[in-house]
């Protein structure tokens, strides 16, 4: 696979790592991105990498049909990254999330069905959020179970861990595979799963190959420091630089699968170049669960400071407790094995952050928006 790749949302965090890799692998690249103010700030910073040779940059929007028509000219493959990405924000900006994530993906397929084109493969960045809580084991029966979202009442009583609805036993988290139950618990997750269905069915019907990547918590250099609605490590990094305490929700023992953006873009690139189109969904993560407390402390150390965390007991309705990926399919189908350890990745991230202007700490503003809607205590 070679030729011209259209990367939607290519000026964003993941795109900024993928595009240089595509160029050095011999692809030509076109980006379709409006440089949204929520991600890039009113005056975009750190976009020097975009000045690289060979990038055809269209400042445009995936919700606009004519922008797709223009962007798809002579394109051989698409990496569809453009999206609104704030889980909490999606709960009260429902139509906007649906339009940018779901409807725009439908528009892409609609245009592909109507204009002459030469697109042979579509790579989609989906999200682990589609699994909701994901897979757990019942401690006594060892049965694989899928707890539903934790209720606001349970969270208010500090019952953080998912329990079996019948026996009341606390469940043990296990790695979620692509065959496990899909159970979106937020509007964002619902739109990402809708994107998957649209791409799978639309591409199959038009004979276009596809690869759907379910990304875990991606972190690393160039993650937006302006967007308070997503990116826990970016939010923490601003607080660390300001000398503020790091507020840990729940008891701080909730965990995520943190994967460095370099490993993620290796997977996306492989999904594009592998000879036989995957035509399926593939988890991308480190395969390791890390508590938020641990990552907060390690990130602080990467800045050369002593950890200063405070457990707030706060919670957000719809947040999951734990989730980490089974990454065997990633290895089997694409031969990709994540390489960047958490320690190395956090150091790379911290070193980059220190070269950036100190952004405003907007976490409280984002939290207040949730409280106003009774989505946070
Ligand atoms: N970063 C993560 O942890 C993570 C995890 C799971 C899935 N994903 C998915 O990966 C993709 C990229 O995420 P990211 O972290 O790079 O986000 P990002 O916010 O840094 O980048 C998204 C880019 O999309 C652009 N964009 C926004 N609205 C657009 C529109 N209407 N038309 C075209 N472009 C638009 C933004 O300007 C931005 O440059 C998204 O689809 C996201 O859902 C990310």
């Amino acid at each position: 696979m070679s030729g011209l790749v259209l990367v939607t949302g290519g000026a964003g965090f993941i795109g900024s790592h993928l595009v240089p890799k595509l160029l050095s692998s011999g692809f030509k690249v076109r980006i379709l991105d409006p440089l949204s103010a929520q991600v890039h700030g009113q005056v975009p910073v750190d976009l020097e990498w975009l000045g690289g040779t060979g990038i055809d940059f269209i400042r445009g929007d995936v919700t606009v049909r004519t922008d797709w028509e223009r962007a798809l000219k002579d394109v051989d493959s698409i990496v569809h990254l453009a999206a609104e990405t704030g889980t909490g924000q999606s709960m009260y900006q429902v139509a906007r999330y649906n339009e940018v994530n779901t409807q725009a993906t439908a528009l892409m397929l609609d245009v592909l069905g109507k204009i002459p084109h030469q697109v042979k493969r579509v790579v989609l960045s989906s999200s682990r959020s589609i699994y909701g809580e994901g897979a757990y084991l019942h401690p006594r029966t060892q049965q694989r179970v899928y707890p539903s979202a934790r209720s606001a009442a349970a969270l208010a009583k500090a019952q953080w861990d998912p329990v079996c609805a019948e026996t009341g036993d606390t469940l043990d988290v296990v790695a979620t595979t692509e065959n496990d139950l899909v159970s979106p618990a937020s509007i964002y997750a619902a739109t990402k799963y809708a994107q998957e269905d649209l791409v799978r069915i639309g591409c199959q019907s038009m004979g276009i190959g596809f690869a759907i990547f379910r990304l875990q918590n991606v972190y690393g250099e160039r993650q937006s420091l302006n967007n308070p609605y997503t990116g826990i490590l970016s939010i923490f990094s601003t607080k660390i630089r300001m000398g503020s305490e790091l507020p840990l929700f729940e008891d701080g023992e909730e965990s995520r699968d943190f994967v460095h953006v370099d490993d993620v873009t290796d997977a996306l690139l492989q999904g594009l170049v592998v000879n036989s189109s995957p035509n399926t969904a593939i988890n991308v993560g480190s395969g390791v669960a890390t508590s938020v407390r641990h990552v907060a402390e390690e990130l602080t150390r990467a800045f050369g400071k002593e950890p200063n965390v405070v457990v707030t007991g706060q919670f957000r309705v719809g947040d999951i407790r734990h989730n980490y990926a089974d990454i065997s399919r990633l290895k089997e189908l694409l031969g990709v094995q994540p390489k960047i350890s958490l320690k190395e990745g956090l150091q790379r991230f911290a070193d980059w952050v220190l070269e950036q202007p100190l952004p405003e700490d907007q976490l409280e503003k984002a939290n207040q928006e949730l409280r106003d809607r009774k989505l946070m205590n």
Side-chain angles (χ1 to χ4, degrees), residues 130-158:
I130 66 157
Y131 295 120
E133 277 290 347
Y136 283 73
L137 281 190
H138 193 286
R140 282 188 278 144
T141 64
Q142 293 300 298
Q143 256 188 337
R144 214 167 174 84
V145 289
Y146 305 99
S148 47
R150 298 169 298 165
S151 69
L155 293 170
K157 285 188 262 173

mmCIF file of all heavy atoms in Angstrom, residues 130-158:
data_model
loop_
_atom_site.group_PDB
_atom_site.id
_atom_site.type_symbol
_atom_site.label_atom_id
_atom_site.label_comp_id
_atom_site.label_asym_id
_atom_site.label_seq_id
_atom_site.Cartn_x
_atom_site.Cartn_y
_atom_site.Cartn_z
ATOM 1 N N ILE A 130 -15.854 1.925 24.211
ATOM 2 C CA ILE A 130 -17.021 1.174 23.738
ATOM 3 C C ILE A 130 -17.305 -0.060 24.616
ATOM 4 O O ILE A 130 -18.410 -0.563 24.624
ATOM 5 C CB ILE A 130 -16.869 0.714 22.270
ATOM 6 C CG1 ILE A 130 -15.742 -0.301 22.133
ATOM 7 C CG2 ILE A 130 -16.665 1.894 21.339
ATOM 8 C CD1 ILE A 130 -15.907 -1.165 20.917
ATOM 9 N N TYR A 131 -16.284 -0.524 25.366
ATOM 10 C CA TYR A 131 -16.488 -1.709 26.218
ATOM 11 C C TYR A 131 -17.165 -1.363 27.536
ATOM 12 O O TYR A 131 -17.520 -2.267 28.299
ATOM 13 C CB TYR A 131 -15.145 -2.369 26.561
ATOM 14 C CG TYR A 131 -14.396 -2.946 25.376
ATOM 15 C CD1 TYR A 131 -13.129 -2.484 25.046
ATOM 16 C CD2 TYR A 131 -14.942 -3.968 24.613
ATOM 17 C CE1 TYR A 131 -12.423 -3.025 23.978
ATOM 18 C CE2 TYR A 131 -14.241 -4.517 23.540
ATOM 19 C CZ TYR A 131 -12.987 -4.033 23.230
ATOM 20 O OH TYR A 131 -12.294 -4.570 22.178
ATOM 21 N N GLY A 132 -17.294 -0.063 27.848
ATOM 22 C CA GLY A 132 -17.788 0.283 29.181
ATOM 23 C C GLY A 132 -16.800 -0.244 30.205
ATOM 24 O O GLY A 132 -15.586 -0.080 30.061
ATOM 25 N N GLU A 133 -17.290 -0.921 31.227
ATOM 26 C CA GLU A 133 -16.389 -1.474 32.253
ATOM 27 C C GLU A 133 -15.504 -2.585 31.695
ATOM 28 O O GLU A 133 -14.470 -2.897 32.254
ATOM 29 C CB GLU A 133 -17.175 -2.010 33.443
ATOM 30 C CG GLU A 133 -17.575 -0.968 34.456
ATOM 31 C CD GLU A 133 -16.393 -0.399 35.253
ATOM 32 O OE1 GLU A 133 -15.289 -0.957 35.213
ATOM 33 O OE2 GLU A 133 -16.601 0.634 35.910
ATOM 34 N N GLY A 134 -15.935 -3.229 30.625
ATOM 35 C CA GLY A 134 -15.117 -4.314 30.071
ATOM 36 C C GLY A 134 -15.274 -5.602 30.856
ATOM 37 O O GLY A 134 -16.252 -5.787 31.593
ATOM 38 N N ALA A 135 -14.284 -6.474 30.720
ATOM 39 C CA ALA A 135 -14.416 -7.839 31.255
ATOM 40 C C ALA A 135 -13.882 -7.977 32.682
ATOM 41 O O ALA A 135 -12.859 -7.397 33.038
ATOM 42 C CB ALA A 135 -13.663 -8.798 30.336
ATOM 43 N N TYR A 136 -14.627 -8.739 33.457
ATOM 44 C CA TYR A 136 -14.223 -9.081 34.840
ATOM 45 C C TYR A 136 -14.412 -10.580 35.052
ATOM 46 O O TYR A 136 -15.122 -11.244 34.275
ATOM 47 C CB TYR A 136 -15.094 -8.328 35.852
ATOM 48 C CG TYR A 136 -14.731 -6.875 36.039
ATOM 49 C CD1 TYR A 136 -15.035 -5.935 35.044
ATOM 50 C CD2 TYR A 136 -14.081 -6.441 37.185
ATOM 51 C CE1 TYR A 136 -14.688 -4.595 35.208
ATOM 52 C CE2 TYR A 136 -13.742 -5.098 37.353
ATOM 53 C CZ TYR A 136 -14.044 -4.187 36.367
ATOM 54 O OH TYR A 136 -13.707 -2.874 36.528
ATOM 55 N N LEU A 137 -13.798 -11.110 36.113
ATOM 56 C CA LEU A 137 -14.043 -12.505 36.502
ATOM 57 C C LEU A 137 -14.768 -12.506 37.836
ATOM 58 O O LEU A 137 -14.436 -11.716 38.742
ATOM 59 C CB LEU A 137 -12.732 -13.258 36.669
ATOM 60 C CG LEU A 137 -11.996 -13.757 35.425
ATOM 61 C CD1 LEU A 137 -10.865 -14.690 35.858
ATOM 62 C CD2 LEU A 137 -12.925 -14.453 34.436
ATOM 63 N N HIS A 138 -15.747 -13.415 37.946
ATOM 64 C CA HIS A 138 -16.399 -13.601 39.246
ATOM 65 C C HIS A 138 -15.426 -14.380 40.139
ATOM 66 O O HIS A 138 -14.907 -15.414 39.722
ATOM 67 C CB HIS A 138 -17.712 -14.381 39.080
ATOM 68 C CG HIS A 138 -18.560 -14.330 40.300
ATOM 69 N ND1 HIS A 138 -18.262 -15.039 41.446
ATOM 70 C CD2 HIS A 138 -19.693 -13.626 40.572
ATOM 71 C CE1 HIS A 138 -19.179 -14.782 42.361
ATOM 72 N NE2 HIS A 138 -20.058 -13.923 41.848
ATOM 73 N N PRO A 139 -15.126 -13.883 41.353
ATOM 74 C CA PRO A 139 -14.062 -14.498 42.154
ATOM 75 C C PRO A 139 -14.356 -15.948 42.543
ATOM 76 O O PRO A 139 -13.423 -16.736 42.754
ATOM 77 C CB PRO A 139 -13.982 -13.606 43.403
ATOM 78 C CG PRO A 139 -15.302 -12.917 43.475
ATOM 79 C CD PRO A 139 -15.764 -12.764 42.051
ATOM 80 N N ARG A 140 -15.641 -16.294 42.634
ATOM 81 C CA ARG A 140 -15.938 -17.661 43.083
ATOM 82 C C ARG A 140 -16.177 -18.606 41.912
ATOM 83 O O ARG A 140 -15.668 -19.715 41.893
ATOM 84 C CB ARG A 140 -17.136 -17.658 44.032
ATOM 85 C CG ARG A 140 -16.695 -17.195 45.426
ATOM 86 C CD ARG A 140 -17.759 -17.354 46.462
ATOM 87 N NE ARG A 140 -18.705 -16.253 46.436
ATOM 88 C CZ ARG A 140 -19.992 -16.367 46.673
ATOM 89 N NH1 ARG A 140 -20.502 -17.561 46.929
ATOM 90 N NH2 ARG A 140 -20.777 -15.316 46.667
ATOM 91 N N THR A 141 -16.923 -18.167 40.913
ATOM 92 C CA THR A 141 -17.246 -19.081 39.796
ATOM 93 C C THR A 141 -16.208 -19.025 38.681
ATOM 94 O O THR A 141 -16.187 -19.871 37.809
ATOM 95 C CB THR A 141 -18.611 -18.699 39.181
ATOM 96 O OG1 THR A 141 -18.477 -17.387 38.611
ATOM 97 C CG2 THR A 141 -19.714 -18.703 40.212
ATOM 98 N N GLN A 142 -15.345 -17.968 38.701
ATOM 99 C CA GLN A 142 -14.356 -17.739 37.624
ATOM 100 C C GLN A 142 -15.035 -17.521 36.270
ATOM 101 O O GLN A 142 -14.405 -17.652 35.225
ATOM 102 C CB GLN A 142 -13.343 -18.908 37.528
ATOM 103 C CG GLN A 142 -12.428 -19.014 38.740
ATOM 104 C CD GLN A 142 -11.590 -17.740 38.959
ATOM 105 O OE1 GLN A 142 -10.797 -17.365 38.134
ATOM 106 N NE2 GLN A 142 -11.811 -17.058 40.077
ATOM 107 N N GLN A 143 -16.314 -17.183 36.309
ATOM 108 C CA GLN A 143 -17.027 -16.872 35.060
ATOM 109 C C GLN A 143 -16.688 -15.471 34.594
ATOM 110 O O GLN A 143 -16.506 -14.572 35.419
ATOM 111 C CB GLN A 143 -18.536 -16.938 35.306
ATOM 112 C CG GLN A 143 -19.160 -18.177 34.751
ATOM 113 C CD GLN A 143 -20.670 -18.088 34.853
ATOM 114 O OE1 GLN A 143 -21.217 -17.354 35.668
ATOM 115 N NE2 GLN A 143 -21.333 -18.861 34.029
ATOM 116 N N ARG A 144 -16.626 -15.302 33.260
ATOM 117 C CA ARG A 144 -16.376 -13.979 32.681
ATOM 118 C C ARG A 144 -17.679 -13.180 32.749
ATOM 119 O O ARG A 144 -18.715 -13.646 32.263
ATOM 120 C CB ARG A 144 -15.960 -14.169 31.225
ATOM 121 C CG ARG A 144 -14.960 -13.169 30.720
ATOM 122 C CD ARG A 144 -14.391 -13.631 29.392
ATOM 123 N NE ARG A 144 -13.547 -12.602 28.840
ATOM 124 C CZ ARG A 144 -12.276 -12.428 29.159
ATOM 125 N NH1 ARG A 144 -11.697 -13.236 30.035
ATOM 126 N NH2 ARG A 144 -11.580 -11.459 28.602
ATOM 127 N N VAL A 145 -17.618 -12.001 33.359
ATOM 128 C CA VAL A 145 -18.841 -11.205 33.525
ATOM 129 C C VAL A 145 -18.590 -9.758 33.090
ATOM 130 O O VAL A 145 -17.448 -9.297 33.029
ATOM 131 C CB VAL A 145 -19.353 -11.214 34.985
ATOM 132 C CG1 VAL A 145 -19.928 -12.559 35.356
ATOM 133 C CG2 VAL A 145 -18.239 -10.835 35.961
ATOM 134 N N TYR A 146 -19.689 -9.065 32.807
ATOM 135 C CA TYR A 146 -19.609 -7.692 32.303
ATOM 136 C C TYR A 146 -20.488 -6.800 33.165
ATOM 137 O O TYR A 146 -21.683 -6.650 32.884
ATOM 138 C CB TYR A 146 -20.063 -7.657 30.835
ATOM 139 C CG TYR A 146 -19.286 -8.626 29.986
ATOM 140 C CD1 TYR A 146 -19.809 -9.883 29.659
ATOM 141 C CD2 TYR A 146 -18.004 -8.296 29.558
ATOM 142 C CE1 TYR A 146 -19.075 -10.785 28.912
ATOM 143 C CE2 TYR A 146 -17.261 -9.199 28.808
ATOM 144 C CZ TYR A 146 -17.802 -10.436 28.491
ATOM 145 O OH TYR A 146 -17.061 -11.321 27.773
ATOM 146 N N PRO A 147 -19.927 -6.235 34.223
ATOM 147 C CA PRO A 147 -20.757 -5.414 35.107
ATOM 148 C C PRO A 147 -21.282 -4.190 34.372
ATOM 149 O O PRO A 147 -20.602 -3.632 33.509
ATOM 150 C CB PRO A 147 -19.789 -4.995 36.224
ATOM 151 C CG PRO A 147 -18.423 -5.178 35.674
ATOM 152 C CD PRO A 147 -18.516 -6.248 34.641
ATOM 153 N N SER A 148 -22.496 -3.789 34.738
ATOM 154 C CA SER A 148 -23.032 -2.575 34.113
ATOM 155 C C SER A 148 -22.421 -1.353 34.808
ATOM 156 O O SER A 148 -21.742 -1.475 35.834
ATOM 157 C CB SER A 148 -24.553 -2.577 34.176
ATOM 158 O OG SER A 148 -24.958 -2.914 35.458
ATOM 159 N N ALA A 149 -22.703 -0.186 34.236
ATOM 160 C CA ALA A 149 -22.109 1.042 34.771
ATOM 161 C C ALA A 149 -22.472 1.188 36.245
ATOM 162 O O ALA A 149 -23.579 0.854 36.666
ATOM 163 C CB ALA A 149 -22.622 2.227 33.968
ATOM 164 N N ARG A 150 -21.544 1.709 37.036
ATOM 165 C CA ARG A 150 -21.806 1.890 38.469
ATOM 166 C C ARG A 150 -22.843 3.001 38.658
ATOM 167 O O ARG A 150 -22.796 4.029 37.983
ATOM 168 C CB ARG A 150 -20.489 2.245 39.178
ATOM 169 C CG ARG A 150 -19.446 1.148 39.070
ATOM 170 C CD ARG A 150 -18.085 1.609 39.535
ATOM 171 N NE ARG A 150 -17.571 2.701 38.727
ATOM 172 C CZ ARG A 150 -16.553 3.485 39.072
ATOM 173 N NH1 ARG A 150 -15.943 3.286 40.233
ATOM 174 N NH2 ARG A 150 -16.144 4.445 38.293
ATOM 175 N N SER A 151 -23.762 2.783 39.587
ATOM 176 C CA SER A 151 -24.827 3.775 39.764
ATOM 177 C C SER A 151 -24.307 4.959 40.571
ATOM 178 O O SER A 151 -23.352 4.824 41.359
ATOM 179 C CB SER A 151 -26.015 3.142 40.498
ATOM 180 O OG SER A 151 -25.650 2.869 41.833
ATOM 181 N N ALA A 152 -24.978 6.115 40.405
ATOM 182 C CA ALA A 152 -24.604 7.311 41.165
ATOM 183 C C ALA A 152 -24.750 7.022 42.658
ATOM 184 O O ALA A 152 -23.937 7.475 43.477
ATOM 185 C CB ALA A 152 -25.472 8.484 40.744
ATOM 186 N N ALA A 153 -25.770 6.206 43.010
ATOM 187 C CA ALA A 153 -25.999 5.899 44.432
ATOM 188 C C ALA A 153 -24.834 5.090 45.004
ATOM 189 O O ALA A 153 -24.351 5.358 46.112
ATOM 190 C CB ALA A 153 -27.307 5.129 44.578
ATOM 191 N N ALA A 154 -24.354 4.112 44.240
ATOM 192 C CA ALA A 154 -23.226 3.300 44.717
ATOM 193 C C ALA A 154 -21.977 4.166 44.854
ATOM 194 O O ALA A 154 -21.237 4.071 45.853
ATOM 195 C CB ALA A 154 -22.968 2.144 43.744
ATOM 196 N N LEU A 155 -21.747 5.033 43.886
ATOM 197 C CA LEU A 155 -20.564 5.896 43.925
ATOM 198 C C LEU A 155 -20.642 6.844 45.117
ATOM 199 O O LEU A 155 -19.638 7.095 45.795
ATOM 200 C CB LEU A 155 -20.441 6.684 42.614
ATOM 201 C CG LEU A 155 -20.124 5.837 41.370
ATOM 202 C CD1 LEU A 155 -20.267 6.664 40.099
ATOM 203 C CD2 LEU A 155 -18.730 5.231 41.448
ATOM 204 N N ALA A 156 -21.848 7.345 45.390
ATOM 205 C CA ALA A 156 -22.015 8.272 46.520
ATOM 206 C C ALA A 156 -21.676 7.580 47.843
ATOM 207 O O ALA A 156 -21.277 8.233 48.808
ATOM 208 C CB ALA A 156 -23.438 8.813 46.542
ATOM 209 N N LYS A 157 -21.808 6.239 47.879
ATOM 210 C CA LYS A 157 -21.459 5.493 49.103
ATOM 211 C C LYS A 157 -20.013 4.985 49.047
ATOM 212 O O LYS A 157 -19.629 4.091 49.805
ATOM 213 C CB LYS A 157 -22.420 4.302 49.261
ATOM 214 C CG LYS A 157 -23.806 4.739 49.739
ATOM 215 C CD LYS A 157 -24.682 3.546 50.075
ATOM 216 C CE LYS A 157 -25.581 3.248 48.895
ATOM 217 N NZ LYS A 157 -26.377 2.065 48.944
ATOM 218 N N ALA A 158 -19.234 5.499 48.091
ATOM 219 C CA ALA A 158 -17.828 5.103 47.903
ATOM 220 C C ALA A 158 -17.684 3.613 47.595
ATOM 221 O O ALA A 158 -16.692 2.994 47.960
ATOM 222 C CB ALA A 158 -16.979 5.500 49.116
#
